[in-house]
Amino acid sequence: MDALLSKAVATPRALSREELVRLLEWPDVQELFAAAYEVKRREVGCVVALRGLVECGNVCAKDCLYCGIRKGNQNVRRYRMEADEIVRRAEVARDAGYGNVVLQSGEIESEENTAFIESVLVGIHERCGENFGVTLSLGEQTDGTYRRWREAGAHRYLLRIETSNPQLYARLHPDGHSWSRRRECLHSLRRNGYQVGSGVMCGLPWQTVQDLAADIEFFAAEDLDMIGMGPYIPHRDTPLGADAEWTRQVAAERLELGLRMIAVTRLHLHDVNIAASTALQALAPDGRERGLLAGANVIMPNVTDVKYRSGYRLYEGKPVDDENSFGSRDALERSISAIGEGIVWNGRGDSPHWRGR
Ligand code: SAH
């Protein structure tokens, strides 16, 4: 094996910016994925952790220029699930053997919403037990809100920084959206005792390979426990996606870039949880499996009631039916064992990096 790949496989967090760039551009992509897979096999095993994803609502105060549920998109019917509906979906996830859920929604900051989520957390723990895992992905909130949700039983939080480059962030968001506040939120989550996850989109307009290498350095500097990344996929009802070029060739390139980011993140960080995101699956039917083979170890089957799915279309081609996102236990088991991996049923799937902390 090439000396740089061997070093990356042997030693965590030892790569320079230039070395990260070289790996991101590695000519033999299969060799890159194989090296990342070797690290994954050693650090987490050939196993996949599951999270049941509940898309609780698409009401959002933010207006991110790339996102299909941005406030300014008039073509979305807005919804908010009731508390008992959310608890019911957690039970569906428990009955399916997932062991934990991720509650995700647009960003709302209000006392009413904070109290609402508290009541949902209490309900989930009453019905699904104390050991049932709950991850939140509800955007930027005050320190006090994060504390209350932690006390009510959430133990992991996902908040993508979207890009580690503040100038690029500013081009992708209108005034009033603050990169610094987002990073401050990651620190607040850490202080409040969460396992902290973040991540970025790759293939964004104006983004360079240097930016992507810096993103991976950001993950290390923030000492993240979990990484959720995915290719940017244009959405036609957004300022950024309105006239994006869209061909099969472009889709294949976006997918490969997403897989390369997973592989190089695994090669640098070694023991974190890395999700094979739904966006990979939107670009190819076997996108998630390919993500696992490039070094990811988590998949997030959607357990949202099908009637809400079309309301949560963040990007074009996001799967909205059960076939493509949830499927039966057998189908999931088959597609995972076909790539030589096993599923951890009924687990919380905590981050090995967090356990070692
Ligand atoms: N607003 C919440 C979560 C909802 S959006 C939060 O910020 O925590 C979840 C993720 O979808 C975002 O973090 C973003 O990275 C991703 N996303 C949004 N629009 C996208 C697009 N057009 N292509 C790919 N990913 C997108």
Side-chain angles (χ1 to χ4, degrees), residues 66-67 104-107 137 139 158-160 162 182 201 231-233 312 314-315:
Y66 46 82
C67 182
Q104 192 178 81
S105 76
E107 299 194 24
S137 179
L158 298 171
L159 181 71
R160 288 188 180 179
E162 313 298 0
R182 220 162 164 82
M201 286 174 287
Y232 162 65
I233 303 176
Y312 208 81
L314 303 169
Y315 42 80

Side-chain angles (χ1 to χ4, degrees), residues 77-209:
R77 215 183 53 218
R78 301 288 165 172
Y79 73 93
R80 284 178 82 175
M81 285 170 70
E82 302 289 341
D84 56 354
E85 285 181 289
I86 300 172
V87 175
R88 178 71 205 114
R89 297 326 285 180
E91 290 182 299
V92 167
R94 178 203 57 198
D95 295 345
Y98 295 171
N100 68 92
V101 279
V102 176
L103 308 184
Q104 192 178 81
S105 76
E107 299 194 24
I108 309 168
E109 284 188 74
S110 67
E111 169 55 33
E112 185 254 312
N113 188 57
T114 299
F116 172 78
I117 295 297
E118 273 180 323
S119 74
V120 168
L121 289 166
V122 170
I124 291 177
H125 285 110
E126 265 169 26
R127 302 271 277 277
C128 300
E130 286 306 312
N131 277 331
F132 189 79
V134 184
T135 305
L136 300 179
S137 179
L138 307 173
E140 295 167 34
Q141 303 288 339
T142 61
D143 193 70
T145 292
Y146 288 144
R147 182 167 59 247
R148 282 166 62 183
W149 290 348
R150 180 78 186 88
E151 282 165 2
H155 61 111
R156 296 190 291 243
Y157 204 104
L158 298 171
L159 181 71
R160 288 188 180 179
I161 192 73
E162 313 298 0
T163 170
S164 65
N165 177 339
Q167 285 81 39
L168 178 56
Y169 187 93
R171 292 182 81 165
L172 301 170
H173 298 88
D175 288 351
H177 293 47
S178 160
W179 184 88
S180 314
R181 182 183 189 218
R182 220 162 164 82
R183 189 180 54 173
E184 186 40 52
C185 284
L186 291 173
H187 298 166
S188 163
L189 289 163
R190 171 75 73 215
R191 280 197 302 279
N192 281 293
Y194 288 89
Q195 294 175 50
V196 182
S198 189
V200 296
M201 286 174 287
C202 52
L204 288 162
W206 311 294
Q207 191 179 41
T208 66
V209 67

